[in-house]
Amino acid sequence: MAGVKILAIESSCDETAAAVVEDGRRVLSNVISSQIDIHTLYGGVVPEIASRKHTERICNVVAEALNKAQLKLEEVDAVAVTYGPGLVGALLVGVSYAKGLAYAAGKPLIGVHHIEGHICANLIDHPELKPPFLSLVVSGGHTTLVRVADYNRMEVLGITRDDAAGEAFDKVARAIGLGYPGGPKIDKISNEGDPAAIDFPRAKVGDSPYDFSFSGLKSAVLNYLNQCKMSGQEINVADVAASFQKAAVDSLCERVDMGLEELGDKVFALAGGVAANRHLRAGIEEVCKKHEVSFYCPEPILCTDNAAMIGAAAYYEYIAGVRHGLDLNAVPSLKLGERI
Ligand code: KG4
Ligand code: ZN
């Protein structure tokens, strides 16, 4: 099936986004309206504000995506939308809007899993990338090692038992006074720090070696900062950032190393907001090189939340015959592989 144009909408967290994607790989438009400026005032995403801002912006964002793609709503083949996981009020804005558009234009509606979207960001501009492959999704809400057996067959190998990797970046950044969102700020300032300055722990989850845990690492950083304050020792912010980042990246790389060793996959795709981190990209690339595995990672703008990735994932649902009814609802804790 060629020339399939999908209008996709994403509103699961603090980005109001719409895109038009052709055949899952070619981005005709990709509009992202970020709310970061507003949430920065509160040190993190405020769900109620996120929903209100999505409501204010979604009409313009969708109109701009169609305009940039030089298409009218009648000319797209389907409307796709993220329906979970995410903040329920935020998801509902996108889901309701997409249902309205699909109904008004008589187009099929396709609900997409947000994590599946992050993984499929790798398909954009990489026509040679095809399942099966191993993928690590690292974002503000998720840390998941996934075996992508086929476009719509994804098996979860490991998840975080507590904080997501991006959440740990954001919380540590706040503790060392860098502000929100912390990931990019830690990434930047760590260039001036020594990653070996402080030996922070790399947690292991005994009974499931593919699972992750970042709350112990976060607490270790907070304890270190408290101890410094109590003993009057000056805190070197760049060293703390670099040492924390090294510990987080090591934990992620270790699971990928183990997965590639055990499963023997020859293709690997990194995904999610934290995949924009240069040290993580370099670390995983190194692991892939060791196993002679092809390494893929989306460009930074496709790593953080966007709708082009939802359009990419939706194409493979579309050609597999997946259609949702107008009773589609937001599912805040939607599991990967689960269809509602
Ligand atoms: O995928 P995403 O946009 O939203 C979720 O689905 O959660 O990811 C946002 C997360 C935030 O925690 C942010 O701090 C982190 O990705 N992030 C980074 C970098 N850029 C974004 N973390 C580390 N280094 C970066 N360069
Ligand atoms: Zn995301």
Side-chain angles (χ1 to χ4, degrees):
M1 221 182 282
V4 175
K5 296 178 189 70
I6 297 184
L7 169 66
I9 296 174
E10 154 66 41
S11 71
S12 66
C13 190
D14 60 346
E15 252 88 37
T16 318
V20 180
V21 180
E22 188 174 2
D23 297 335
R25 309 261 178 174
R26 212 160 71 81
V27 177
L28 303 184
S29 65
N30 186 25
V31 179
I32 305 167
S33 172
S34 175
Q35 305 176 3
I36 280 181
D37 291 357
I38 304 150
H39 298 291
T40 298
L41 301 172
Y42 305 94
V45 177
V46 182
E48 177 60 26
I49 295 176
S51 317
R52 281 173 188 233
K53 292 293 157 195
H54 285 312
T55 309
E56 283 170 22
R57 296 174 179 186
I58 195 152
C59 295
N60 286 345
V61 167
V62 169
E64 200 182 330
L66 285 168
N67 264 344
K68 284 199 169 149
Q70 296 185 319
L71 289 170
K72 294 195 170 54
L73 179 60
E74 301 77 64
E75 292 171 295
V76 303
D77 296 281
V79 178
V81 64
T82 306
Y83 73 112
L87 302 169
V88 67
L91 286 165
L92 269 174
V93 177
V95 168
S96 310
Y97 199 79
K99 288 201 284 192
L101 287 180
Y103 179 64
K107 301 289 174 185
L109 175 70
I110 302 164
V112 174
H113 192 290
H114 184 74
I115 299 294
E116 205 171 308
H118 272 301
I119 293 170
C120 290
N122 279 286
L123 304 175
I124 295 170
D125 293 333
H126 293 129
E128 73 284 9
L129 175 59
K130 292 185 174 71
F133 58 85
L134 190 66
S135 183
L136 174 69
V137 185
V138 261
S139 73
H142 308 273
T143 308
T144 315
L145 188 65
V146 184
R147 177 127 204 295
V148 182
D150 207 340
Y151 292 109
N152 354 59
R153 212 152 48 82
M154 305 198 177
E155 186 201 345
V156 174
L157 298 175
I159 54 164
T160 181
R161 291 290 185 98
D162 38 59
D163 291 353
E167 198 179 346
F169 270 86
D170 293 337
K171 286 178 178 168
V172 166
R174 186 153 47 171
I176 54 179
L178 296 178
Y180 178 84
K185 292 184 174 148
I186 288 189
D187 193 351
K188 191 157 174 250
I189 201 169
S190 63
N191 287 330
E192 296 152 30
D194 174 8
I198 310 144
D199 188 20
F200 290 129
R202 281 93 170 129
K204 283 197 171 33
V205 181
D207 52 340
S208 18
Y210 284 124
D211 277 354
F212 305 87
S213 167
F214 291 101
S215 73
L217 170 58
K218 175 195 67 191
S219 303
V221 176
L222 298 180
N223 288 342
Y224 173 82
L225 296 173
N226 278 337
Q227 274 163 15
C228 288
K229 267 183 213 147
M230 278 174 6
S231 61
Q233 194 187 324
E234 204 180 309
I235 294 163
N236 182 326
V237 171
D239 279 354
V240 175
S243 302
F244 156 76
Q245 181 175 262
K246 177 84 171 73
V249 167
D250 283 354
S251 297
L252 295 165
C253 287
E254 194 181 300
R255 300 328 187 260
V256 172
D257 190 17
M258 200 163 65
L260 292 174
E261 180 73 41
E262 283 182 17
L263 302 169
D265 277 298
K266 284 293 157 208
V267 181
F268 179 85
L270 190 60
V274 186
N277 185 281
R278 284 166 296 169
H279 305 264
L280 177 62
R281 288 162 96 108
I284 301 272
E285 214 171 345
E286 193 68 22
V287 172
C288 287
K289 215 178 261 170
K290 176 179 140 191
H291 293 278
E292 295 179 346
V293 163
S294 310
F295 169 77
Y296 289 89
C297 186
E299 58 173 310
I301 191 70
L302 295 175
C303 286
T304 43
D305 287 350
N306 66 87
M309 67 184 198
I310 303 303
Y315 171 73
Y316 293 96
E317 300 286 352
Y318 180 85
I319 58 174
V322 173
R323 304 287 185 271
H324 281 96
L326 292 175
D327 57 350
L328 179 69
N329 205 350
V331 185
S333 53
L334 184 65
K335 303 256 176 317
L336 200 62
E338 180 186 32
R339 257 208 195 102
I340 291 176

